[in-house]
Amino acid sequence: MATTKSNTANQIKDINYYKKKFWKIFLYGLGGIFLFFLFASWGLFGSMPSFEDLENPNSNLATEIISTDGVTIGKFYNENRTSIKYSDLPKHLVNALVSTEDERFYDHSGIDGRGTLRAMMSLGSKGGASTLTQQLAKLLFHGEGSKFLPFRIVQKAKEWIIAIRLERQYTKNEIIAMYLNKADFVNTAVGIRSAAKVYFGKEPRDLSIEESAMLVGMLKNPSLFNPVRRIEKVQDRRNVVFGQMVKNGFLKESDKEKLEKKPIVLHFKPESHHEGIATYFREYLRDFMKKWMAENKKPDGSDYDIYKDGLKIYTTIDSRMQTYAEEAVTDHLTNLQKEFDAQQKGNKNAPFVNISDAETKKLMMQAMKNSERWRQMEAQGKDEDVIIKSFAVKTKMKVFTWKGERDTIMSPTDSIRYYKHFLQSGVMAMEPQTGHIKAWVGGINYKYFQYDHVGQGARQVGSTFKPFVYATAIEQLGASPCDTIIDGPFMIRKGRHHVTEDWEPRNSDQRYRGMVSLKKALANSINTVSAKLIDRVGPEAVVELTHKLGVKSDIPVQPSIALGAVDITVHDMVAAYSTFANQGVYIKPQFISRIEDKNGVVIYEPIPESHDVLNKDIAFAVIKLLEGVTEGGSGDRLRTDGGGHGYNRVTGYPYVLKNPIAGKTGTTQNQSDGWFMGMVPNLVTGVWVGCEDRSARFKSITYGQGATAALPIWGIFMKKCYADEKLNVSTEEFEKPVNLSIKVDCWEPRAYTPAENDTIQAEQDIDEFQIE
């Protein structure tokens, strides 16, 4: 008996011992876990987000460029991501997300206890237990994390702590929006808004249920479930999402069966700095923002960053006008390019005309030295001879064509010559009353031709300079569009107006018309009349007025400027002509309406700059002069519906515009530059066409003149604008000043015989300028 009692006592002693041992280990373990989480929350295992970080997490948002009609025309970004609110998400997208990624999302406080226990019991074989909030914590604060198990455990603990803090800080709806804004959908799409745009060309609110399900399905592994590469796998994954929605009561079985049969239809268009509309303008804006950020700081004194601060830049560009302008350039130049290429056949120095082999070689060498290939090889320490030889080696490359990119094999030298064949264009449209730039086309394709022919490239303007001479004459001499002047031989002698040799300008058609009105002289771009006017007022007065009109170029104080021997940008020419349409008041062109930070706070609004240049009467008189150009001068093809030189290569004459139009064509010597400046009361548009090199040009004026090369772009653009009634582009008369003091309604004199012209010339020697 004694032995039995002893054994029982020992058993009780052993049980008590193990109980104490268990509770000791349990409590120590519990305490250790508590301390582990406490130390993790204190940041002893690595930094933890502060309260301020949770309030305003590092979002790395793209800066949006927004047109005046509310369209995002481009972005600046490290990550192509723009934030949207929960209210902008369709309900079926939210239901698909919760059903697939976190079924008990609305029931937990950041950590799913049941899911965590299941994952622990199955050692992860039945799936993980990360809630949407934990996934958001991971995305916001440490990404994918470490693969090393001890570090992974620490990171998992930190995820839990951050998730709980996020749940306390934000509503469930805000957490969903933050998660979808941060998720990476690959192919340049970060965040749901970018994903909807890249894969379907839509805003998130417009996504269909099957499109939403596809995007949610990608979240499990975006690289694996990439619809661009593995469409069948993605469709299977999308159907799994449908199954989860049925399981959670968000979708009927019958609807699921119908949806599963639908194919995935992508409108895939990855966003790039080189693609989309207004690419040249966006690059001009980027350069402006660099300077703006250097001069403007955040309230805390730190620098703005357009690549991650999520700014919203509201521009004056109208996405519809921008699209029409780009389409007009494409419509015309694809056609005109065929004629240009046809004229180069048999030209051994193509596309250069009337230059020697040595001059051609010099141009090609300069182009090679300006290339990226040369820069890289020179940086590697390569010898110049080695670099030059490399340009002769044929290689695979992708080249631009008007029918799309094409894979080919050619040497870098041949590719340089190939690209120099292309006609380029610069187009800018502006509201004269506000200075708001509505369209900006700096070239034909930004990916391949990055030189901006609107804001960057100054080219010789030809006869489009003549209105500045006429305006000076009206102001200085009290002339009117109806005053007459003789079109006859004229010479400015050496020494007068800084002329170093006798200067005798001739008309482009080599003939003289006798007595003509100023309106007719400008309409027909008569050189001798422009020369006589600048002789009367002096080149100094013309230069002074031109600078007041906003032209920033250096202008030589020479009479030859009357014929357009001046380099000016499209940007400045549009601003100058806009002054005439704005009753003589110059307004500096504006391209930004305002800039907001990511919270919608306005941080910049430009102050309009303007000054008086001419009185209303003089400005209106110039407008009436310019109307003569389209009524019966070099721009009258805007009024007709067929015929004319180069019909097959200038897209015909499809304009037939009946409304008042003030305009001026311009053609430089040897047809290197073709211009057209066109105005209606509320829109001024400038167009330039030419090749990169001035030696690359048309052989004759038939195709190289502004009326053939540039005017059609203006005509096509305006036809498209007029077809879009929402744009409200004016078809009305220009506003006439009250009590106009200058005669603008002219009668045309009869044609004179040669004998009568001799008599008139003699009279003009005494009193050349007739003011009626």
Side-chain angles (χ1 to χ4, degrees):
M1 286 295 289
T3 304
T4 302
K5 286 181 180 180
S6 176
N7 288 338
T8 301
N10 287 335
Q11 288 176 354
I12 292 171
K13 182 180 178 182
D14 289 343
I15 291 171
N16 289 334
Y17 171 79
Y18 285 116
K19 278 183 179 180
K20 289 178 181 179
K21 194 83 170 175
F22 169 78
W23 285 111
K24 190 175 182 180
I25 294 172
F26 176 78
L27 291 172
Y28 276 128
L30 194 62
I33 292 172
F34 174 78
L35 288 173
F36 173 74
F37 278 97
L38 182 65
F39 293 157
S41 68
W42 288 350
L44 295 182
F45 301 139
S47 63
M48 289 286 286
S50 65
F51 176 82
E52 288 75 17
D53 292 331
L54 292 173
E55 230 356 90
N56 190 21
N58 180 16
S59 52
N60 205 19
L61 291 173
T63 287
E64 289 185 86
I65 306 165
I66 303 169
S67 68
T68 190
D69 54 320
V71 176
T72 298
I73 59 175
K75 299 175 185 176
F76 300 132
Y77 59 84
N78 293 323
E79 286 182 358
N80 180 19
R81 184 163 60 85
T82 49
S83 178
I84 62 171
K85 298 177 182 177
Y86 179 84
S87 58
D88 295 321
L89 300 172
K91 187 63 178 173
H92 52 70
L93 174 65
V94 175
N95 292 340
L97 176 67
V98 172
S99 299
T100 308
E101 294 295 319
D102 191 352
E103 293 176 312
R104 287 176 290 279
F105 174 69
Y106 294 105
D107 299 325
H108 62 66
S109 297
I111 300 172
D112 183 1
R114 196 196 312 178
T116 301
L117 185 61
R118 182 202 65 217
M120 291 173 63
M121 296 295 290
S122 65
L123 298 178
S125 62
K126 295 184 179 180
S130 286
T131 63
L132 277 175
T133 318
Q134 287 174 253
Q135 292 180 51
L136 174 60
K138 181 168 65 175
L139 288 172
L140 286 176
F141 298 109
H142 66 73
E144 282 303 312
S146 174
K147 301 292 184 183
F148 184 49
L149 184 59
F151 290 170
R152 187 75 192 101
I153 292 171
V154 171
Q155 287 170 342
K156 198 68 178 176
K158 291 168 70 175
E159 276 179 32
W160 286 3
I161 295 167
I162 296 169
I164 293 170
R165 290 181 178 178
L166 286 170
E167 290 275 351
R168 290 176 181 173
Q169 196 71 26
Y170 297 101
T171 66
K172 291 288 187 180
N173 290 349
E174 288 172 332
I175 288 171
I176 286 176
M178 289 172 69
Y179 174 74
L180 286 172
N181 281 328
K182 187 67 177 174
D184 188 351
F185 292 86
V186 300
N187 295 313
T188 76
V190 181
I192 190 63
R193 189 177 182 203
S194 290
K197 282 278 189 182
V198 167
Y199 292 111
F200 301 110
K202 297 180 177 181
E203 289 292 331
R205 62 175 173 271
D206 300 320
L207 291 170
S208 65
I209 188 170
E210 59 268 25
E211 291 166 345
S212 294
M214 188 208 85
L215 294 174
V216 168
M218 290 178 66
L219 293 169
K220 183 176 182 180
N221 187 333
S223 296
L224 178 63
F225 298 109
N226 183 340
V228 179
R229 295 182 177 179
R230 304 180 182 90
I231 195 70
E232 291 183 5
K233 189 179 286 290
V234 172
Q235 185 157 335
D236 291 341
R237 176 62 185 165
R238 180 201 67 178
N239 293 345
V240 169
V241 175
F242 289 146
Q244 287 297 110
M245 293 180 73
V246 171
K247 176 184 173 184
N248 287 275
F250 293 122
L251 191 65
K252 294 179 181 178
E253 182 67 35
S254 57
D255 291 334
K256 167 181 170 285
E257 293 173 359
K258 292 177 184 177
L259 289 169
E260 285 178 335
K261 295 176 183 177
K262 287 189 175 185
I264 291 176
V265 180
L266 297 176
H267 296 281
F268 180 65
K269 193 171 183 181
E271 296 183 332
S272 162
H273 296 308
H274 292 170
E275 296 174 349
I277 66 170
T279 45
Y280 291 89
F281 169 75
R282 280 151 45 192
E283 197 58 33
Y284 183 86
L285 179 62
R286 187 204 305 272
D287 188 56
F288 169 83
M289 289 303 297
K290 288 178 183 176
K291 298 170 186 173
W292 182 87
M293 288 186 294
E295 298 169 359
N296 297 268
K297 305 295 181 183
K298 292 181 181 179
D300 63 2
S302 60
D303 292 332
Y304 284 103
D305 188 335
I306 59 171
Y307 300 105
K308 67 178 185 180
D309 280 346
L311 304 180
K312 285 182 169 55
I313 305 174
Y314 290 89
T315 71
T316 62
I317 295 292
D318 186 294
S319 70
R320 297 159 296 184
M321 283 192 183
Q322 180 69 34
T323 300
Y324 299 152
E326 292 181 9
E327 289 174 349
V329 169
T330 299
D331 291 349
H332 178 54
L333 290 191
T334 51
N335 202 8
L336 191 63
Q337 186 70 49
K338 296 173 186 175
E339 177 63 31
F340 185 85
D341 292 341
Q343 290 191 16
Q344 297 302 324
K345 289 181 179 178
N347 177 11
K348 65 177 182 177
N349 288 329
F352 312 114
V353 177
N354 292 341
I355 65 172
S356 65
D357 292 348
E359 290 172 314
T360 300
K361 186 176 180 180
K362 184 178 179 181
L363 284 171
M364 291 297 294
M365 178 58 68
Q366 188 60 48
M368 284 192 284
K369 289 185 175 181
N370 289 337
S371 70
E372 183 64 15
R373 169 184 284 268
W374 189 287
R375 188 192 67 78
Q376 290 182 359
M377 294 185 73
E378 192 174 52
Q380 295 168 5
K382 302 288 186 182
D383 182 77
E384 186 171 302
D385 290 338
V386 173
I387 298 175
I388 291 172
K389 286 180 181 178
S390 76
F391 275 83
V393 179
K394 290 188 175 183
T395 183
K396 290 182 179 179
M397 62 177 67
K398 195 181 292 288
V399 297
F400 167 81
T401 77
W402 276 116
K403 294 181 179 180
E405 291 182 321
R406 180 168 62 89
D407 291 317
T408 188
I409 297 175
M410 67 170 70
S411 70
T413 299
D414 289 339
S415 73
I416 289 173
R417 193 182 287 265
Y418 169 77
Y419 283 125
K420 285 186 177 295
H421 277 74
F422 280 95
L423 293 166
Q424 299 291 330
S425 184
V427 180
M428 182 176 128
M430 185 177 106
E431 287 181 348
Q433 293 78 20
T434 63
H436 289 177
I437 297 172
K438 312 307 292 183
W440 180 305
V441 185
I444 59 175
N445 185 289
Y446 185 77
K447 182 177 180 180
Y448 288 92
F449 308 96
Q450 296 184 4
Y451 191 76
D452 182 359
H453 293 285
V454 170
Q456 214 175 354
R459 295 291 289 247
Q460 204 168 96
V461 295
S463 293
T464 55
F465 191 87
K466 288 176 180 175
F468 307 151
V469 178
Y470 280 68
T472 308
I474 294 172
E475 182 181 48
Q476 300 283 334
L477 305 176
S480 87
C482 303
D483 289 339
T484 55
I485 190 170
I486 196 73
D487 169 23
F490 176 72
M491 180 181 292
I492 295 179
R493 297 293 182 182
K494 178 180 178 181
R496 181 172 171 81
H497 299 312
H498 317 289
V499 171
T500 55
E501 292 183 7
D502 291 350
W503 181 58
E504 184 178 11
R506 298 184 182 277
N507 294 328
S508 59
D509 57 6
Q510 303 300 316
R511 68 188 184 92
Y512 302 106
R513 295 166 178 79
M515 188 73 76
V516 294
S517 68
L518 292 187
K519 187 172 183 178
K520 185 174 182 179
L522 185 62
N524 291 280
S525 210
I526 299 174
N527 288 339
T528 59
V529 172
S530 296
K532 288 179 178 182
L533 292 179
I534 201 169
D535 180 51
R536 280 295 187 92
V537 299
E540 292 85 357
V542 175
V543 171
E544 182 182 359
L545 177 64
T546 305
H547 282 149
K548 284 182 180 178
L549 290 168
V551 173
K552 294 182 283 292
S553 304
D554 290 331
I555 304 174
V557 185
Q558 293 285 337
S560 60
I561 64 174
L563 309 187
V566 182
D567 287 356
I568 305 176
T569 64
V570 173
H571 175 278
D572 285 2
M573 287 297 287
V574 171
Y577 271 68
S578 292
T579 305
F580 301 133
N582 193 37
Q583 300 186 325
V585 179
Y586 167 81
I587 296 184
K588 184 178 179 179
Q590 278 188 209
F591 50 90
I592 292 177
S593 297
R594 69 184 187 279
I595 301 175
E596 295 178 357
D597 67 14
K598 66 180 180 182
N599 299 314
V601 177
V602 176
I603 56 177
Y604 172 71
E605 279 186 294
I607 300 172
E609 296 180 31
S610 65
H611 59 259
D612 293 339
V613 180
L614 300 166
N615 71 43
K616 293 181 180 180
D617 291 5
I618 295 173
F620 186 72
V622 176
I623 289 292
K624 299 308 286 186
L625 281 170
L626 292 169
E627 284 184 347
V629 175
T630 65
E631 290 167 356
S634 56
D636 64 352
R637 64 182 69 190
L638 289 169
R639 308 294 190 186
T640 60
D641 60 358
H645 291 298
Y647 177 87
N648 294 327
R649 293 299 188 215
V650 294
T651 348
Y653 289 179
Y655 322 111
V656 202
L657 298 171
K658 303 296 185 184
N659 56 288
I661 298 169
K664 187 70 191 80
T665 57
T667 309
T668 60
Q669 193 175 22
N670 297 328
Q671 303 81 235
S672 296
D673 304 274
W675 287 80
F676 185 73
M677 303 297 301
M679 298 188 284
V680 294
N682 64 350
L683 193 68
V684 176
T685 305
V687 181
W688 166 86
V689 170
C691 286
E692 176 185 307
D693 293 272
R694 301 188 193 208
S695 298
R697 55 182 177 79
F698 282 103
K699 295 179 179 179
S700 71
I701 199 168
T702 299
Y703 296 98
Q705 64 177 307
T708 307
L711 178 145
I713 292 174
W714 191 91
I716 297 167
F717 169 63
M718 291 300 290
K719 287 279 283 186
K720 290 174 182 287
C721 287
Y722 282 134
D724 189 338
E725 296 180 359
K726 293 180 181 178
L727 293 177
N728 295 316
V729 177
S730 176
T731 58
E732 303 299 317
E733 298 272 357
F734 287 87
E735 184 180 352
K736 184 177 181 179
V738 179
N739 300 321
L740 178 65
S741 62
I742 300 175
K743 184 178 179 180
V744 295
D745 297 319
C746 314
W747 60 273
E748 287 299 324
R750 67 181 177 84
Y752 290 92
T753 65
E756 288 174 318
N757 278 335
D758 289 341
T759 302
I760 292 169
Q761 179 66 67
E763 293 172 350
Q764 287 296 97
D765 288 341
I766 301 170
D767 185 11
E768 183 180 10
F769 202 63
Q770 306 291 320
I771 301 177
E772 298 180 350

